[in-house]
Amino acid sequence: MNDQLEGAYDAFHQDLAQRSNSARAFDNFIGGRATPSTGDRRIEVVNPARKSAFASVPDSTDADVDAAVRAAAAQLDGAWGALPGAERGRLILRLADLVERDKELIGRMDAISIGRPVVETQILDLPNALDTMRYFAGWADKITGTAIPTGGYFGRPTHSYTRREPVGVVGAIVPWNTPFMITMWKLAPALAAGCTIVLKPAEETPLSALHLAALATEAGFPDGVINVVTGRGETAGAALVRHPLVAKITFTGGPEAGRAIGRSAADSFKRLSLELGGKSPQIVFPDADLDGAIRGLAMGIFFNQGEVCAAGSRVLVHRSIADKVAAALAGAASGVRLGDPLDPEAQMGALASRAQFDRVAGYIDIAKAEQAELLAGGTVDDSHGLFVRPTVFRGRNDMRIAQEEIFGPVVVVIPFDDEEDALRIANASSYGLAAVVWTSDVARSHRMAARLKAGSVWVNGWAAIDARLPWGGVKQSGAGRENGASALDAYTEIKTVTIVL
Ligand code: NAD
């Protein structure tokens, strides 16, 4: 097994070396080609399951960001701006085919950079990203305005209509947890709408973004339509948000960065979409299929090490079955096999970074200090990699572990008395991204769906996301929607035209 694992790493590292230089040092991708940074600072890309750096990217400067934005802006009035929608759609489809060709490599780039099992990228991230690309490719020639009858203009008849035009240069800022999939939620609708893009991937996961930009050139996109500038949030990210030629920022990440970006974007009235964190409840009623529910609860908090914005990190269980469900969830947690991203037997990997590891370990200590009852896990091990055992607490909704986003494999089980009580607890949160209801009562599922304060409600399944379905949060979970036809609104401006006849 060990030889097989090391062989898989050797092959991956050789593959990276061929796409960069022999030290696996990558450049930015600007104007259709790999472009060295104007500065000399670099960021190491680390495998947190081994605590070892395996590549590096530029810690980009304001000048790098400026070059990328100018390349993107030039294409709005260039070959890209002149392309009909049907041609844009065809290019997106061609890019999707190249992503499909390279899906093993892209999955490895992301999984190894955050320490998660590579199999998860192949069952979720890549299929979802490909579906998103093909879905929005179909929209590219269907973005239309409307003719609107009016009473005329000072007694003269008029012909009024709207046009939906690309918003312009889009700055896309992406987190590390499911990087390629979230990147595609931004790029695919932006490209379909005719925008150009400067992408700033997370510090931890820049490689799949750089590869995507190279594939866009191979697919035949005009140079400068998709640019990637790597670097830190407070420098490269902030420069992108400030840049006067950027018309729109689409951001996924934490509320703190979201607030800073919102303030800065307001200076130039940039269009803004924010997809922020969550503290999503999974609510289990006694009439649910309990075996299915327990599998869904475990997946909802242990998939991707719990580093998922929609993680079901609060499990609300009817008091009559609370002991049984809590014990079953603890049993599932104890059975999870931790391992290396490339180990096919691994069910959960390492946490993505030292900061993330310290944050999750800190919350386990906070939970113990708050006297939440520990039912499983609660141990961490950073001797070889940044591993945290899947952890189950039983506690109350007013505890910090039930109110603050941990972004790790830590869940709190909270009993409730009846439907009204479940709703009260579920909605007592500053977040509102998603909520899950486990029940066999159809009427109850609709009642709950109507009253839960969340952007998405799933009944009898966790994370039923799809490119066709709008996605986003209420309250501190964000503003705006990605995916679905409504995502196109985020990348188009409506222009009203009136001809006085
Ligand atoms: P983060 O907010 O620290 O970083 C996200 C991205 O923003 C990174 O690319 C980072 O470099 C950049 N950034 C940070 N500060 C910035 C600034 N001041 N200006 C410009 N860019 C800046 O978040 P993270 O730790 O990478 O990701 C975890 C957070 O993302 C969690 O809160 C999680 O819930 C959220 N998330 C939300 C969704 C969703 O769809 N709602 C999906 C995934 C992750």
Side-chain angles (χ1 to χ4, degrees):
M1 178 65 221
N2 255 1
D3 286 353
Q4 248 176 354
L5 198 58
E6 296 318 312
Y9 271 107
D10 286 346
F12 175 65
H13 291 156
Q14 275 170 24
D15 210 344
L16 292 188
Q18 275 169 17
R19 291 160 206 278
S20 54
N21 63 30
S22 54
R24 289 178 243 135
F26 287 79
D27 292 323
N28 285 322
F29 202 93
I30 298 174
R33 62 194 60 83
T35 306
S37 171
T38 55
D40 53 13
R41 289 198 318 265
R42 306 207 45 95
I43 297 175
E44 286 190 328
V45 186
V46 174
N47 176 353
R50 297 182 162 209
K51 297 197 292 185
S52 59
F54 63 92
S56 74
V57 295
D59 182 358
S60 297
T61 62
D62 286 13
D64 300 331
V65 173
D66 183 59
V69 172
R70 287 183 190 284
Q75 272 302 337
L76 289 173
D77 298 320
W80 176 250
L83 270 191
E87 287 300 320
R88 292 200 304 274
R90 243 169 256 147
L91 280 173
I92 300 170
L93 289 175
R94 215 174 293 152
L95 181 58
D97 289 344
L98 296 178
V99 167
E100 188 146 42
R101 182 194 71 191
D102 289 359
K103 66 182 179 194
E104 301 286 330
L105 172 67
I106 294 168
R108 284 176 179 216
M109 285 171 159
D110 280 357
I112 293 170
S113 304
I114 65 165
R116 79 190 279 209
V118 72
V119 64
E120 289 189 352
T121 63
Q122 300 302 339
I123 59 177
L124 174 70
D125 304 29
L126 270 300
N128 181 291
L130 284 164
D131 188 40
T132 303
M133 295 174 88
R134 291 171 175 145
Y135 169 71
F136 281 108
W139 269 113
D141 60 355
K142 299 171 191 71
I143 300 172
T144 55
T146 42
I148 304 172
T150 73
Y153 176 79
F154 292 110
R156 291 171 64 188
T158 53
H159 173 55
S160 294
Y161 61 94
T162 56
R163 291 168 49 85
R164 289 175 74 195
E165 300 180 346
V167 74
V169 177
V170 171
I173 302 178
V174 176
W176 45 261
N177 62 335
T178 38
F180 197 77
M181 183 177 92
I182 291 176
T183 294
M184 215 40 86
W185 292 359
K186 301 178 184 312
L187 257 66
L191 292 170
C195 298
T196 59
I197 289 140
V198 177
L199 170 63
K200 209 298 282 170
E203 292 81 329
E204 295 82 357
T205 50
L207 301 183
S208 61
L210 289 168
H211 188 62
L212 175 69
L215 291 184
T217 297
E218 187 180 339
F221 276 83
D223 294 346
V225 174
I226 301 175
N227 307 276
V228 176
V229 182
T230 61
R232 302 191 188 279
E234 317 77 64
T235 51
L240 187 57
V241 179
R242 273 196 313 269
H243 201 292
L245 294 181
V246 173
K248 183 198 165 83
I249 293 291
T250 170
F251 169 76
T252 299
E256 203 181 316
R259 254 187 291 277
I261 288 169
R263 282 195 202 99
S264 172
D267 283 342
S268 49
F269 297 109
K270 286 189 171 56
R271 278 68 182 123
L272 187 61
S273 306
L274 299 169
E275 301 289 339
L276 308 175
K279 198 72 202 175
S280 300
Q282 292 227 47
I283 307 167
V284 189
F285 286 96
D287 59 27
D289 157 18
L290 284 190
D291 290 341
I294 286 154
R295 278 196 302 277
L297 300 180
M299 181 163 95
I301 190 63
F302 303 137
F303 188 82
N304 202 14
Q305 299 76 237
E307 294 164 321
V308 178
C309 51
S313 50
R314 293 186 294 151
V315 167
L316 279 43
V317 193
H318 190 267
R319 204 172 293 280
S320 64
I321 52 167
D323 289 345
K324 186 174 167 188
V325 170
L329 184 56
S334 302
V336 171
R337 194 186 147 136
L338 301 189
D340 190 277
L342 297 188
D343 176 355
E345 307 277 299
Q347 294 169 319
M348 218 179 88
L351 294 202
S353 64
R354 171 57 66 179
Q356 192 57 22
F357 177 86
D358 289 345
R359 173 188 168 106
V360 176
Y363 272 109
I364 291 175
D365 290 342
I366 289 169
K368 290 175 181 168
E370 283 184 312
Q371 299 191 331
E373 184 189 351
L374 180 64
L375 302 179
T379 56
V380 303
D381 176 7
D382 62 352
S383 52
H384 303 294
L386 305 173
F387 289 94
V388 173
R389 281 290 326 162
T391 298
V392 181
F393 284 104
R394 183 170 174 149
R396 298 185 317 271
N397 197 49
D398 61 357
M399 290 176 163
R400 281 184 64 190
I401 51 162
Q403 288 298 316
E404 297 173 21
E405 186 179 43
I406 300 174
F407 221 54
V410 181
V411 64
V412 55
V413 177
I414 304 167
F416 68 82
D417 291 317
D418 54 24
E419 216 174 281
E420 209 52 45
D421 196 33
L423 280 164
R424 181 186 60 75
I425 299 171
N427 289 337
S429 171
S430 57
Y431 290 103
L433 189 58
V436 188
V437 182
W438 294 91
T439 180
S440 56
D441 179 337
V442 175
R444 190 203 298 279
S445 67
H446 289 293
R447 280 197 302 273
M448 294 291 290
R451 294 182 63 198
L452 283 163
K453 304 266 182 269
S456 294
V457 176
W458 301 307
V459 178
N460 296 334
W462 173 74
I465 52 172
D466 190 286
R468 291 145 202 86
L469 301 175
W471 171 248
V474 300
K475 299 195 262 183
Q476 193 172 302
S477 289
R481 292 292 178 270
E482 299 194 297
N483 290 337
S486 49
L488 296 164
D489 296 341
Y491 296 101
T492 47
E493 292 282 7
I494 294 181
K495 179 183 280 175
T496 305
V497 180
T498 293
I499 300 165
V500 179
L501 301 171

